[in-house]
């Protein structure tokens, strides 16, 4: 079965359910996304309230973790297995975010339906179904998407209340979806300075979606004017025709920047709940992505790890 699935999926096979549960309870299952970004604030408003801080700047730094793709999002289990059946296995799995697909025979339909209705499994597929492989591919993709939506739900809600509200704006969302459809990233991260979204494709090629509002541009303009920026820079900031990324000077214009025009990028305006301006930037030297392990490189490493030893 593994050879018939999408080669862009990494599959880790187990012959022992007990070993699989042990692996998923330790190194086989990485921390839920957000575990390193959220922390409890030291002061509590009352006995019934908690203050939680979100370290937005740390989110995009996950891209420098070479094992970030090791997270388990979906399990495919057969009903008939040694040591325990597939339903029992799913009941013993502690992580409720992982999607669970049960492969069954016709005789186990009633058991599978009961497990599905009670939430023990998320999908079940008959092995005798002529479309079984196609249905399995679709189910895996759907449950992968659901996994990350659920795991990041709290963080997404928190981001939407701040500078990243554009991610929930339908007008901006349609533009973002168009960018994603064209670039086809396999990983995306919010970045807070400057505000935007970092996207990487399977080869590790990056693109940055820089996003600014009228208030952001006004602040950029005022700082640049106070610091004696050239008129060309000030005009671009006033009109919104270009967005700045003054990465070498903390995000704002500085007289020490030799070529400020090289830090301005053509912008497009979008009117939604607010007026947004965005630029797509391909030259990402400030983010030092040359040392980032791509998904394809990681897959090759896993293939070598999983490959059976050759006879000597």
């Amino acid at each position: 079965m593994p050879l018939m699935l999408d080669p862009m999926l990494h599959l880790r096979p187990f012959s022992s359910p007990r070993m699989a549960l042990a692996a998923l309870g330790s190194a086989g299952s990485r921390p839920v996304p957000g575990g390193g970004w959220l922390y409890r604030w030291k002061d509590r408003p009352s006995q019934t309230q908690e203050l939680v801080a979100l370290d937005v700047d740390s989110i995009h730094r996950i891209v420098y973790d070479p094992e970030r793709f090791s997270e388990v999002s979906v399990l495919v289990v057969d009903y008939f297995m040694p040591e325990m059946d597939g339903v029992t296995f799913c009941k013993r799995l502690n992580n409720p975010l992982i999607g669970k697909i049960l492969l069954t025979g016709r005789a186990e339909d009633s058991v599978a339906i009961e497990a599905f209705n009670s939430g023990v499994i998320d999908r079940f597929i008959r092995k005798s179904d002529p479309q079984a492989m196609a249905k399995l591919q679709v189910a895996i993709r759907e449950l992968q998407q659901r996994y990350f939506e659920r795991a990041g739900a709290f963080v997404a809600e928190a981001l939407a209340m701040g500078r990243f509200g554009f991610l929930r704006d339908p007008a901006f969302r349609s533009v973002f979806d168009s960018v994603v459809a064209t670039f086809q990233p396999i990983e995306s991260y919010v970045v807070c300075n400057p505000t935007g979204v970092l996207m990487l494709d399977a080869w590790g090629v990056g693109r940055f979606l820089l996003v600014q509002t009228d208030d952001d541009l006004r602040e950029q303009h005022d700082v640049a004017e106070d610091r004696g920026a050239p008129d060309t820079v000030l005009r671009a900031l006033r009109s919104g025709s270009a967005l700045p990324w003054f990465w070498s000077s903390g995000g704002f214009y500085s007289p020490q920047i030799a070529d400020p025009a090289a830090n301005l990028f053509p912008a497009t305006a979008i009117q939604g709940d607010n007026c947004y301006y965005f630029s797509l930037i391909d030259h990402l030297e400030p983010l030092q992505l040359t040392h980032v392990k791509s998904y394809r490189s990681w897959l090759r490493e896993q293939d070598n790890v999983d490959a059976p030893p050759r006879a000597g």
Side-chain angles (χ1 to χ4, degrees):
M1 183 176 292
L3 296 178
M4 300 172 68
L5 291 173
D6 185 347
M8 286 296 286
L9 293 173
H10 175 245
L11 307 171
R12 184 179 178 187
F14 287 92
S15 58
S16 165
R18 297 187 189 279
M19 291 179 60
L21 285 173
L24 290 167
S26 56
S29 182
R30 291 166 57 79
V32 172
W37 318 328
L38 298 170
Y39 56 92
R40 180 179 296 170
W41 198 246
K42 58 184 178 180
D43 298 321
R44 295 182 63 181
S46 70
Q47 292 298 315
T48 59
Q49 293 179 308
E50 291 281 0
L51 291 178
V52 178
L54 173 61
D55 184 4
V56 180
D57 187 53
S58 68
I59 293 177
H60 81 277
R61 300 185 190 283
I62 294 174
V63 77
Y64 305 112
D65 178 2
E67 293 303 315
R68 64 192 183 279
F69 301 115
S70 299
E71 200 162 316
V72 178
S73 58
V74 181
L75 288 174
V76 180
V77 297
D78 201 323
Y79 180 78
F80 284 110
M81 299 188 297
E83 304 171 349
M84 70 186 76
D85 63 64
V87 173
T88 301
F89 178 91
C90 292
K91 287 179 178 178
R92 294 185 182 182
L93 184 67
N94 290 326
N95 190 334
L97 298 176
I98 294 178
K100 297 173 284 293
I101 303 171
L102 182 68
L103 303 180
T104 71
R106 186 179 298 274
E108 297 90 51
D109 275 1
S110 60
V111 177
I113 291 171
E114 183 180 351
F116 176 80
N117 289 337
S118 61
V120 175
I121 62 173
D122 301 292
R123 303 282 194 280
F124 66 91
I125 299 172
R126 286 182 181 171
K127 290 180 285 186
S128 60
D129 187 334
Q131 300 298 316
M133 292 308 304
K135 290 180 178 179
L136 183 57
Q137 297 266 29
V138 171
I140 289 173
R141 291 300 186 192
E142 289 177 348
L143 292 175
Q144 279 185 321
Q145 181 67 25
R146 192 194 70 174
Y147 174 85
F148 287 104
E149 288 175 354
R150 287 184 174 182
F154 183 83
V155 172
E157 290 292 335
L159 289 172
M161 293 187 289
R163 297 174 65 90
F164 294 90
F166 59 85
L167 292 174
R168 293 294 181 88
D169 189 320
F172 191 91
R173 186 72 199 190
S174 65
V175 173
F176 182 74
D177 289 344
S178 176
V179 171
V180 168
T182 302
F183 184 61
Q184 297 187 343
I186 63 161
E187 50 183 327
S188 301
Y189 306 92
V190 293
V191 178
C192 63
N193 186 21
T195 303
V197 181
L198 170 64
M199 299 172 284
L200 281 81
D201 68 12
W203 291 268
V205 176
R207 176 169 284 187
F208 186 63
L209 181 64
L210 175 61
V211 183
Q212 302 274 276
T213 64
D214 284 327
D215 289 342
D216 296 327
L217 287 176
R218 191 174 300 111
E219 182 182 18
Q220 287 281 351
H221 176 273
D222 291 347
V223 171
E225 188 174 42
D226 290 343
R227 295 178 178 179
D231 287 340
T232 53
V233 172
L234 296 177
R235 282 197 301 270
L237 297 177
R238 278 197 302 268
S239 66
S241 61
L243 299 187
W245 188 359
F246 298 123
W247 58 272
S248 63
S249 57
F252 291 94
Y253 172 81
S254 169
Q256 279 69 48
I257 298 176
D259 184 10
N263 296 96
L264 295 176
F265 301 90
T268 301
I270 306 170
Q271 185 61 54
D273 295 336
N274 291 296
C275 184
Y276 303 105
Y277 303 85
F278 76 90
S279 295
L280 279 170
I281 303 173
D282 295 320
H283 303 290
L284 305 181
E285 290 86 351
L287 295 176
Q288 300 178 342
L289 299 180
T290 54
H291 302 296
V292 168
K293 182 179 291 184
S294 71
Y295 181 59
R296 282 191 174 272
S297 295
W298 182 83
L299 275 180
R300 283 196 297 269
E301 290 182 1
Q302 303 312 303
D303 289 342
N304 293 333
V305 170
D306 296 339
R310 296 181 178 179

